[in-house]
Amino acid sequence: MQAPDVSVVVPVYDTMPYLRACLASLLGQTIGHRRMEIVAVDDGSTDGGGQLLDQLAARHPDTVRVRHQANSGGPANPCNRGLELATGRYVFFVGSDDRLGPEALERLVTAADRNDSDVVLGRAVGVNSRYMSQEIFAESRVDVDLFDSALPWSLANIKLFRRELVERHHLRFHEDMPILSDQPFTLEACYRARRISVLADYDYYHAVRRLDARNITYRSRLDQRLRCVELLVDRVAELIPPGKQRDAVLRRHFGLEVAHLVGDDLPRLDGPTRERVYGVVRRLVDRYLTDDLRDQLDIETRLRLSAAGSGLADLLAVIRQDAERGVPPTVVAGDRCHAGYPGVGLPDWTDVTGVRADWLARLDAVAVGWEGTRSLTVTARSPHPDLGRAVGGPVHVRAGRIAGDTLDVTPDARGSLVRVRFPVDRLLAGSAATGQRHPLRVEVDGKVGRGSAALRAPGLTPARPRIRRHGTRLYAATTSLDARTGHLVLAVVPVTAARLAARLRRGGR
């Protein structure tokens, strides 16, 4: 019997009813049942998912294969068991609460064969406002360089892998990592691949944000996350020698996973827990945060991780200022400019002279409000007394890729105010049909150069949602605060019965 073109590996643990939609999307693939196999590994499900898999295997014995096992505590083990059972020329991993576009596998396999690619990324979109980085999907490309592209920001394992590559290098998921285990696997596959291709012409993968928030990544314990983040960064260092290539990958991990450890919630932890978090961050900073890597990080992350290198007290002082009082003033010392964090002094790491544009882009949202139901206005403050003149060019605010209209930049008694309007129709047109969260960023471009920074909102009460029709569906547009980062987000979500039910279960929050 001829081997299938692609083996789809599905680790399954308590994802009903999402599992039904996932399996339906696989069985409905246009590639056809003869050219694919579904290898589902039931990792001790307790919600009836295992029985559903058995029913489908009995109905489609030549396509669906099922393995049952006791719960392993994470997706790494069932992914590895699935790899052991896979027989296809290619392998594709699917989360059991996610789903594929109908033509996904056919398009991916065709592209891999045509381009002789070892790894193929198809555009992944979020469902229920799940955030998925889109930079790598700006355009379709036959050949993508791991170190000179946005690929390090898209290291989930939801890609097509040539199985011969996987087996030749014996690539497996690290079972000592209950979360984040797909990233070292995907990174090494891309590192070893002869060719990586990107397809941006179709919605291949629909990543679902579960309304019950029971995904293991959502609810991972802090100690577990600390251990896995440290293992993740260490394994990048084991794979890639020191230098610009390693820094290109670590830019993602320090800018995301490590940055989250020094988020606004750190001061709210009890003392011993704060010390444990700080210990991990300090070790990673001391081992791997080169000057070149530090210079590539977002201004906020750069300052916090630099403060961590100085000590926990300085790190907490920076976070509390950002989270509770807002952007500190600029202190001029001779010909140098420093971030004036109270109680910290002016050590070298507070010097922002070389990143003046990024520093000036740091604003705090102080008000959000609706102009009727047609547009949302965001007002942000800079501590600089004349921001427009200091920048010497335009100040813009974007919600993801959606540009706002800057109404004015005016001095006030506490610095400068920037008012920006976002027409709701523009937000709806620029959002996925399944909903999307758009982090807000400030961009400046003038005599100080180009810079950008996330828009913070310390103490701000988000705007209430407004319901608007787009096409045949109703959507709610609103603002929210990311509790971990303190950043302001514009969210566009479809109004569905499932969302309303989930909100009622949470007590209307």
Side-chain angles (χ1 to χ4, degrees):
M1 182 177 176
Q2 185 176 354
D5 285 331
V6 57
S7 300
V8 184
V9 175
V10 189
V12 178
Y13 177 69
D14 283 1
T15 53
M16 293 285 277
Y18 300 90
L19 178 61
R20 291 186 184 277
C22 173
L23 296 171
S25 79
L26 300 182
L27 290 169
Q29 287 294 299
T30 59
I31 198 170
H33 290 192
R34 289 187 178 183
R35 296 179 59 195
M36 66 176 286
E37 67 176 358
I38 300 170
V39 181
V41 181
D42 170 26
D43 197 39
S45 293
T46 62
D47 62 351
Q51 293 90 320
L52 174 61
L53 293 173
D54 288 338
Q55 293 169 9
L56 291 177
R59 200 176 305 157
H60 305 280
D62 295 329
T63 304
V64 181
R65 303 167 63 194
V66 179
R67 172 169 176 164
H68 298 279
Q69 62 182 38
N71 182 254
S72 64
N77 179 278
C79 283
N80 285 338
R81 301 295 81 75
L83 275 176
E84 293 168 1
L85 297 170
T87 63
R89 293 190 297 123
Y90 300 100
V91 63
F92 192 93
F93 298 93
V94 176
S96 59
D97 38 14
D98 300 333
R99 56 183 182 265
L100 298 186
E103 302 173 21
L105 295 179
E106 184 176 19
R107 287 169 173 257
L108 288 164
V109 169
T110 298
D113 286 343
R114 180 179 63 243
N115 300 322
D116 196 26
S117 307
D118 285 335
V119 180
V120 184
L121 294 72
R123 183 171 65 207
V125 296
V127 179
N128 295 334
S129 302
R130 180 169 171 179
Y131 176 76
M132 300 296 290
S133 176
Q134 294 298 303
E135 188 176 352
I136 192 64
F137 301 117
E139 60 178 346
S140 295
R141 296 173 62 184
V142 171
D143 212 338
V144 173
D145 189 298
L146 171 62
F147 306 111
D148 190 24
S149 72
L151 181 54
W153 294 88
S154 297
L155 288 180
N157 63 337
I158 51 176
K159 299 167 177 61
L160 189 77
F161 300 94
R162 188 180 297 275
R163 197 165 66 86
E164 187 273 332
L165 169 80
V166 172
E167 296 307 323
R168 174 161 32 100
H169 296 285
H170 194 65
L171 305 183
R172 291 296 185 269
F173 294 79
H174 292 279
E175 296 186 17
D176 59 346
M177 296 177 67
I179 60 172
L180 306 177
S181 62
D182 59 336
Q183 293 192 35
F185 174 92
T186 304
L187 175 63
E188 185 166 3
C190 292
Y191 185 68
R192 307 289 187 193
R194 294 165 303 139
R195 172 169 288 167
I196 306 164
S197 299
V198 172
L199 302 178
D201 58 339
Y202 181 73
D203 290 347
Y204 291 82
Y205 196 96
H206 299 259
V208 178
R209 177 175 176 264
R210 293 172 58 178
L211 297 178
D212 57 6
R214 292 178 61 199
N215 178 286
I216 190 169
T217 303
Y218 301 156
R219 57 184 172 83
S220 60
R221 296 186 299 274
L222 179 58
D223 285 339
Q224 183 183 84
R225 178 167 291 276
L226 285 174
R227 182 167 63 86
C228 289
V229 168
E230 189 164 16
L231 286 171
L232 175 63
V233 176
D234 284 342
R235 280 167 179 158
V236 174
E238 291 167 5
L239 179 66
I240 306 173
K244 291 186 179 300
Q245 290 188 337
R246 179 194 283 182
D247 285 352
V249 174
L250 288 183
R251 179 187 177 191
R252 174 254 162 81
H253 298 304
F254 274 88
L256 190 60
E257 286 88 6
V258 180
H260 281 172
L261 298 180
V262 292
D264 285 9
D265 51 351
L266 180 63
R268 297 194 290 270
L269 302 176
D270 62 80
T273 303
R274 280 202 306 263
E275 292 283 353
R276 289 200 301 277
V277 174
Y278 175 69
V280 169
V281 173
R282 181 64 186 265
R283 283 196 296 274
L284 294 176
V285 166
D286 289 346
R287 290 175 192 164
Y288 305 121
L289 189 63
T290 65
D291 290 342
D292 285 345
L293 174 56
R294 180 184 286 108
D295 290 345
Q296 296 176 56
L297 296 175
D298 179 276
I299 181 68
E300 182 176 298
T301 303
R302 182 185 318 165
L303 287 167
R304 291 191 181 192
L305 294 183
S306 297
S310 181
L312 177 57
D314 281 356
L315 172 60
L316 292 175
V318 169
I319 295 174
R320 287 180 173 130
Q321 172 69 33
D322 289 345
E324 298 170 10
R325 295 177 290 278
V327 180
T330 303
V331 176
V332 178
D335 61 349
R336 312 302 295 178
C337 296
H338 290 260
Y341 285 102
V344 169
L346 300 179
D348 288 345
W349 62 263
T350 64
D351 191 323
V352 294
T353 309
V355 287
R356 180 80 165 144
D358 288 337
W359 178 247
L360 289 174
R362 292 201 67 190
L363 307 180
D364 296 311
V366 294
V368 290
W370 290 97
E371 297 179 4
T373 60
R374 297 193 174 277
S375 61
L376 179 72
T377 299
V378 178
T379 302
R381 174 175 280 117
S382 166
H384 199 285
D386 194 346
L387 180 64
R389 179 173 295 181
V391 170
V395 178
H396 297 296
V397 179
R398 290 183 177 273
R401 295 183 178 183
I402 304 169
D405 299 324
T406 302
L407 302 178
D408 49 59
V409 180
T410 56
D412 81 339
R414 296 175 56 189
S416 298
L417 290 178
V418 179
R419 289 195 312 130
V420 181
R421 176 188 294 138
F422 288 92
V424 176
D425 289 345
R426 190 181 302 167
L427 293 173
L428 293 173
S431 302
T434 54
Q436 199 161 343
R437 286 165 53 86
H438 303 285
L440 286 160
R441 290 192 69 83
V442 181
E443 298 177 349
V444 302
D445 186 2
K447 65 183 182 183
V448 293
R450 292 184 177 182
S452 69
L455 181 61
R456 303 193 116 266
L460 180 69
T461 301
R464 296 180 63 84
R466 289 292 188 272
I467 307 296
R468 289 293 302 274
R469 183 177 298 279
H470 185 64
T472 60
R473 302 187 66 179
L474 294 176
Y475 291 83
T478 188
T479 58
S480 63
L481 297 180
D482 187 307
R484 180 176 290 167
T485 66
H487 298 163
L488 188 62
V489 175
L490 284 181
V492 176
V493 296
V495 178
T496 64
R499 276 189 167 274
L500 291 174
R503 185 172 183 178
L504 289 173
R505 286 195 299 270
R506 296 193 300 269
R509 296 189 300 274

